Amino acid sequence: YVTRGEPLTGFERGFLPVSLAMGGASLRGTTVPAGSSVAEAFHYTSREAASLIETSGLKSGQYATPAGDLSPLQAVLELSLPPNRPLPDTRIRIDIAGLRQAGFEIPAVTRVSSVVRGRDGRVYSMPGGGYEMQFPYVVPAEFLRVMP
């Protein structure tokens, strides 16, 4: 299996579903080269955390996904979010095109692992299999928008 942070390998290296590579475009099921530009990504979180993120930015080391149409339960399962937290009720849109234009290096999109180590050191297994990107820097608030 692929662990967090590892680039896609084998068949997956060359292609991503269009709906992911294009930030949720309507051509679901079609594939495009993985190097294609991702224009936006989404961070799934709680309403309380979103208000803080909206003003101070997304912390370094946080994850986002090109999939902007996940339900709260889908987000937990596909993104291997910690099972001991409430379902995310808010998503934050990250303007990847804006970050790129401002000179930020955009992290690679990788496959989500099914084995995750929590902040408390516990290891747990989730379905995973979605796509994610991890930001090694603070994403400034000007590139973030809380979605309704």
Side-chain angles (χ1 to χ4, degrees):
Y1 60 87
V2 178
T3 59
R4 282 187 188 262
E6 288 183 22
L8 300 175
T9 59
F11 174 76
E12 295 168 331
R13 183 181 323 153
F15 300 95
L16 287 175
V18 165
S19 61
L20 299 178
M22 303 310 287
S26 62
L27 301 173
R28 286 178 121 26
T30 308
T31 56
V32 295
S36 296
S37 295
V38 174
E40 60 186 10
F42 299 87
H43 178 76
Y44 289 82
T45 190
S46 69
R47 195 168 286 122
E48 295 79 25
S51 62
L52 181 60
I53 293 168
E54 189 174 32
T55 58
S56 60
L58 188 65
K59 291 181 184 178
S60 174
Q62 293 293 304
Y63 291 89
T65 180
D69 59 353
L70 301 177
S71 71
L73 183 57
Q74 282 178 301
V76 169
L77 297 175
E78 292 184 24
L79 304 176
S80 292
L81 300 179
N84 58 349
R85 285 195 277 180
L87 295 176
D89 57 6
T90 305
R91 67 191 161 116
I92 298 174
R93 181 188 173 277
I94 303 168
D95 181 4
I96 300 294
L99 286 170
R100 189 178 288 114
Q101 187 174 8
F104 286 88
E105 185 174 330
I106 305 305
V109 176
T110 59
R111 198 73 188 243
V112 176
S113 170
S114 61
V115 178
V116 180
R117 180 175 301 276
R119 289 186 191 143
D120 59 1
R122 291 178 34 195
V123 176
Y124 55 92
S125 180
M126 295 290 290
Y131 294 93
E132 67 184 3
M133 50 201 320
Q134 184 178 24
F135 292 91
Y137 50 82
V138 172
V139 176
E142 67 191 85
F143 300 102
L144 305 173
R145 189 178 81 205
V146 175
M147 302 299 290

